[in-house]
């Protein structure tokens, strides 16, 4: 019997074995390994493609987030993204879809670098970026000023809130300044230019003196004199919200004493005017050549005579006064300071020395083209009890422009000549005319300080008094006349006429009656001549 239970003898055992199916296990193993390798390659390629896609997407996203990477304030970033980033993103999506069939990887490989450069170029040239840079700088300046305790001009907090909430697209910084110190002390320690005794008022039928009130214009002018700019001064006034109530310093004096003092001042001013006229007449006979020669001699001998005068305890005479004004001893000069800071004019330190009073001081003022050092007293009517009231006027001049303490030139807008409230002859201010720091007094030009009225506002100014032979001889002549007992009586020259006549040099020559009045005033002020 065969193995398959078939009794048919034609099927043998070898044939049965030959007909059985066979398996190649080695081939199967090789096929499996090949399939696994192919699968791994496909997975690697898919992972690589995914990584390339992620890289391309990240590159595009990094380019489009360039605005967010800038150190700008949030509102400016939002405006740049809306006006630049969003239109550029829409353009990129359209190119990937239409030109690259959605293949971000190929788009990034072929257009990525160009995309980044193009977007950066558009960002750099965009006007909103320049505005964002300025806003960032303004914000930094404001924060720095706040950290230093400065006052910021304007309401910066409100401006910042409006900017952050979108009510405005700009953040403006108008500047910052140090708060002025002891503002009101100035008014407590100084008199008003209107008068030191205040104003006369009637209360319950009685005359009383009341201090002049500090006006907003007074406060504004003082702030400017302290070095604040007009914008800073206006900002500080907004902060203090001054509505009145403060007063200037007032000296205690009864109304009749004040009236008497005003009358004495009027007499003194009139006497000085007559003295000036008399001196002008006295100089009338001197030729200009003689004046020049005398002045030059005075200057050449000034140093020697000054040394001799100092050895005797003082400096007198024409050479002495010329030396005192135009060539002072540097040891007698002191540095001028305003608010603890040196006063500079055109970048150079200003120094101050003693001035000259009396007729010489008046002559100095007149040499500047100003009528007098002190204002005239004008008739201000009468009080309730019939006593005259006088008020200070203004001083005339022929000046069209002046220089303030900060070196700025001023003119009246309407082109009129400048008037003055006062000119100080008690001090002489010296501004270097040569190289700074040379130490030579001759290199300093003397100046007088005055209060000019520019566009109806008081401005402190420095008035140059450069050397000239004519001016030097004029000061010397006056000094010699006032230091000579023999020549004191010659201050007012007699003329036979009873009415005034005109002289080519001095103007109106006083009449005999005017001369007698001048002598009376001189006796009242100076005492009788010996």
């Amino acid at each position: 019997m065969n193995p398959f239970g078939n009794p048919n003898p034609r099927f043998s055992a070898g044939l049965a074995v030959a007909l059985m199916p066979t398996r190649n296990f080695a081939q199967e193993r090789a096929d499996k390994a090949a399939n696994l390798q192919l699968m791994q390659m496909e997975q690697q390629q898919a992972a690589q493609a995914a990584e390339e896609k992620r890289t391309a997407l990240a590159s595009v996203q990094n380019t489009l987030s360039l605005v967010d990477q800038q150190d700008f304030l949030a509102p400016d970033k939002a405006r740049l993204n809306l006006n630049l980033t969003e239109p550029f993103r829409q353009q990129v999506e359209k190119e990937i879809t239409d030109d690259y069939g959605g293949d971000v990887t190929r788009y990034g490989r072929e257009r990525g670098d160009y995309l980044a450069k193009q977007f950066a170029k558009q960002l750099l040239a965009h006007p909103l970026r320049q505005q964002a840079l300025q806003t960032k700088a303004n914000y930094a300046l404001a924060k720095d000023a706040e950290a230093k305790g400065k006052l910021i001009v304007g309401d910066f907090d409100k401006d910042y809130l409006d900017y952050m909430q979108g009510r405005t697209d700009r953040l403006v910084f108008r500047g910052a300044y140090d708060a002025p110190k002891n503002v009101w002390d100035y008014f407590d320690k100084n008199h008003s230019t209107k008068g030191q005794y205040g104003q006369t008022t009637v209360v319950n039928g009685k005359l009383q003196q009341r201090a002049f009130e500090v006006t907003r214009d007074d406060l504004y002018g003082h702030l400017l004199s302290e070095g604040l700019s007009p914008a800073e001064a206006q900002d500080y006034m907004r902060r203090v919200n001054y509505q009145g109530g403060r007063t200037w310093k007032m000296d205690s004096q009864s109304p009749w004493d004040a009236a008497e003092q005003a009358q004495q001042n009027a007499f003194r001013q009139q006497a000085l005017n007559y003295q000036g006229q008399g001196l002008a007449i006295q100089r009338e006979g001197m030729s200009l050549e003689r004046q020049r020669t005398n002045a030059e001699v005075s200057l050449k001998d000034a140093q020697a005579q000054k040394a001799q005068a100092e050895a005797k305890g003082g400096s007198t005479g024409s050479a002495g006064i010329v030396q005192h004004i135009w060539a002072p001893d540097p040891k007698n000069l002191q540095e001028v300071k305003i608010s603890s800071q040196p006063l500079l004019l055109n970048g150079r330190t200003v120094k101050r020395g003693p001035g000259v009073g009396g007729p010489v001081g008046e002559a100095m003022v007149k040499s500047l083209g100003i009528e007098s050092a002190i204002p005239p007293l004008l008739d201000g009517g009468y009080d309730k009890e019939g006593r005259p009231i006088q008020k200070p006027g203004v001083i005339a001049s022929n000046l069209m422009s002046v220089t303030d303490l900060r070196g700025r030139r001023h003119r009246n807008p309407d082109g009129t000549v400048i008037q003055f409230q006062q000119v100080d002859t008690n001090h002489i201010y010296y501004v270097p005319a040569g190289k700074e720091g040379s130490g030579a007094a001759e290199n300093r030009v003397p100046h007088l300080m005055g209060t000019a009225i520019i566009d109806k506002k008081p401005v402190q100014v420095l008035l140059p008094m450069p050397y000239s032979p004519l001016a030097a001889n004029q000061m010397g002549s006056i000094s010699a006349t006032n230091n000579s007992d023999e020549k004191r009586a010659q201050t007012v020259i007699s003329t036979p006429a009873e009415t005034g006549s005109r002289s080519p040099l001095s103007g109106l020559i006083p009449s005999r009656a005017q001369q007698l009045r001048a002598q009376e005033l001189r006796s009242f002020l100076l005492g009788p001549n010996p």
Side-chain angles (χ1 to χ4, degrees):
M1 177 176 282
N2 58 51
F4 300 99
N6 189 346
N8 191 345
R10 291 179 298 178
F11 290 94
S12 64
L15 179 61
V17 172
L19 292 176
M20 292 182 64
T22 61
R23 295 179 62 186
N24 189 338
F25 292 101
Q27 183 64 40
E28 287 181 3
R29 286 194 296 273
D31 291 342
K32 289 181 178 180
N35 290 335
L36 179 61
Q37 185 177 9
L38 179 61
M39 186 180 300
Q40 290 176 344
M41 290 179 61
E42 289 177 349
Q43 290 176 350
Q44 290 177 356
Q45 290 177 354
Q48 183 177 358
E51 181 63 25
E52 290 179 353
K53 185 175 181 179
R54 282 194 298 270
T55 302
L57 284 172
S59 177
V60 172
Q61 291 173 353
N62 184 64
T63 298
L64 295 177
S65 66
L66 185 59
V67 170
D68 294 328
Q69 299 171 24
Q70 305 300 309
D71 188 18
F72 297 150
L73 297 183
D76 285 326
K77 287 183 179 181
R79 271 187 290 274
L80 276 168
N81 281 327
L82 179 64
N83 292 274
L84 177 64
T85 306
E86 182 59 24
F88 199 86
R89 183 190 64 78
Q90 294 176 3
Q91 176 186 342
V92 169
E93 288 184 353
K94 187 174 185 304
E95 287 185 11
I96 293 175
T97 302
D98 297 346
D99 301 340
Y100 290 85
D103 190 345
V104 178
T105 303
R106 187 163 67 92
Y107 178 83
R109 184 170 56 250
E110 296 179 1
R111 296 271 291 173
D113 290 342
Y114 174 79
L115 170 71
K117 293 178 181 179
Q118 187 70 11
F119 187 74
K121 182 178 179 181
Q122 291 185 19
L123 175 60
L124 288 175
H126 205 283
L128 287 178
R129 177 180 177 273
Q130 304 303 320
Q131 182 176 318
L133 288 172
Q134 185 62 56
T135 299
K136 173 187 171 184
N138 290 343
Y139 182 76
L141 289 172
K143 287 302 177 184
D144 181 68
E146 287 181 351
K148 294 178 179 178
K150 293 180 176 291
L151 300 179
I152 301 177
V153 177
D155 192 345
F156 186 80
D157 291 338
K158 181 180 181 302
D159 293 343
Y160 180 73
L161 183 63
D162 290 342
Y163 165 77
M164 294 300 294
Q165 294 182 353
R167 287 189 288 270
T168 179
D169 60 353
R170 296 178 185 274
L171 184 61
V172 179
F173 178 74
R174 301 175 182 86
Y177 59 98
D178 293 318
K181 299 179 181 179
N182 303 323
V183 173
W184 302 113
D185 284 355
Y186 171 79
F187 300 102
D188 294 338
K189 297 177 181 178
N190 292 274
H191 300 105
S192 169
T193 56
K194 300 175 183 177
Q196 68 186 93
Y197 303 111
Q199 55 187 330
T200 304
T201 59
V202 180
V203 179
N204 297 327
K206 296 182 179 180
L207 292 176
Q208 292 186 2
Q209 294 299 107
R210 187 178 64 185
F212 288 106
E213 186 177 26
V214 177
T215 66
R216 289 179 60 85
D217 287 342
D218 292 336
L219 176 58
Y220 180 75
H222 173 61
L223 294 175
L224 293 181
S225 68
E226 288 292 303
L228 270 64
S229 69
E232 294 167 351
Q234 291 173 1
D235 179 77
Y236 187 78
M237 292 183 66
R238 176 187 63 82
R239 291 175 182 273
V240 300
N241 191 28
Y242 176 64
Q243 300 297 327
R246 304 289 302 217
T247 58
W248 290 84
K249 176 184 177 182
M250 183 187 74
D251 291 344
S252 299
Q253 191 181 47
S254 61
W256 48 88
D257 290 338
E260 181 180 353
Q261 182 67 43
Q263 187 175 19
Q264 290 181 2
N265 290 340
F267 286 161
R268 184 178 297 273
Q269 178 64 46
Q270 191 173 359
L272 291 175
N273 291 341
Y274 281 129
Q275 272 193 334
Q277 291 179 354
L279 290 172
I281 297 171
Q282 184 183 36
R283 294 194 303 273
E284 184 175 311
M286 183 182 295
S287 66
L288 293 179
E289 180 62 26
R290 182 181 176 187
Q291 293 179 25
R292 183 187 66 79
T293 303
N294 290 344
E296 290 176 352
V297 171
S298 296
L299 283 180
K300 289 179 181 179
D301 296 338
Q303 295 290 348
Q305 293 192 24
K306 180 191 173 187
Q308 295 174 3
E310 288 178 346
K312 296 178 181 179
S315 177
T316 61
S318 61
I321 199 64
V322 171
Q323 174 77 15
H324 179 82
I325 297 175
W326 282 284
D329 188 343
K331 297 179 182 178
N332 296 332
L333 303 183
Q334 297 180 350
E335 186 176 80
V336 181
K337 291 187 177 181
I338 297 179
S339 299
S340 301
Q341 297 296 325
L343 175 60
L344 303 178
L345 190 60
N346 298 326
R348 297 176 175 179
T349 305
V350 177
K351 293 190 176 182
R352 182 176 66 185
V356 182
V360 177
E362 283 292 310
M364 286 195 303
V365 175
K366 291 180 184 296
S367 71
L368 301 176
I370 303 174
E371 185 178 75
S372 177
I374 56 178
L377 292 173
L378 305 179
D379 184 11
Y382 298 89
D383 59 27
K384 292 293 184 178
E385 298 185 8
R387 287 187 289 264
I389 300 176
Q390 293 180 315
K391 58 182 180 180
V394 295
I395 307 171
S397 79
N398 58 12
L399 302 181
M400 301 299 295
S401 65
V402 290
T403 302
D404 65 13
L405 303 188
R406 301 178 70 179
R408 299 174 300 191
R409 298 293 292 176
H410 292 272
R411 295 175 179 270
N412 279 325
D414 58 1
T416 58
V417 294
I418 296 174
Q419 296 177 323
F420 289 79
Q421 288 183 347
Q422 64 176 359
V423 179
D424 179 20
T425 62
N426 294 323
H427 300 92
I428 299 178
Y429 297 79
Y430 294 90
V431 179
K435 184 178 180 181
E436 175 73 327
S438 63
E442 287 77 6
N443 288 336
R444 293 182 175 272
V445 177
H447 289 63
L448 294 182
M449 183 178 291
T451 303
I453 303 174
I454 306 296
D455 196 17
K456 300 181 180 180
K457 296 180 181 179
V459 178
Q460 281 191 301
V461 298
L462 284 176
L463 306 163
M465 192 167 51
Y467 172 77
S468 72
L470 182 61
N473 187 68
Q474 181 183 15
M475 306 304 168
S477 299
I478 298 175
S479 177
T481 300
N482 285 273
N483 282 284
S484 170
D485 292 339
E486 181 181 353
K487 295 182 179 180
R488 286 182 61 188
Q490 300 177 10
T491 303
V492 177
I493 297 179
S494 301
T495 62
E498 288 297 321
T499 57
S501 61
R502 288 206 170 267
S503 163
L505 295 181
S506 63
L508 183 65
I509 300 176
S511 67
R512 180 60 178 170
Q514 292 171 330
Q515 297 169 32
L516 293 175
R517 177 58 176 160
Q519 184 62 41
E520 178 185 348
L521 293 172
R522 283 172 48 81
S523 299
F524 172 76
L525 297 171
L526 308 175
N529 290 336

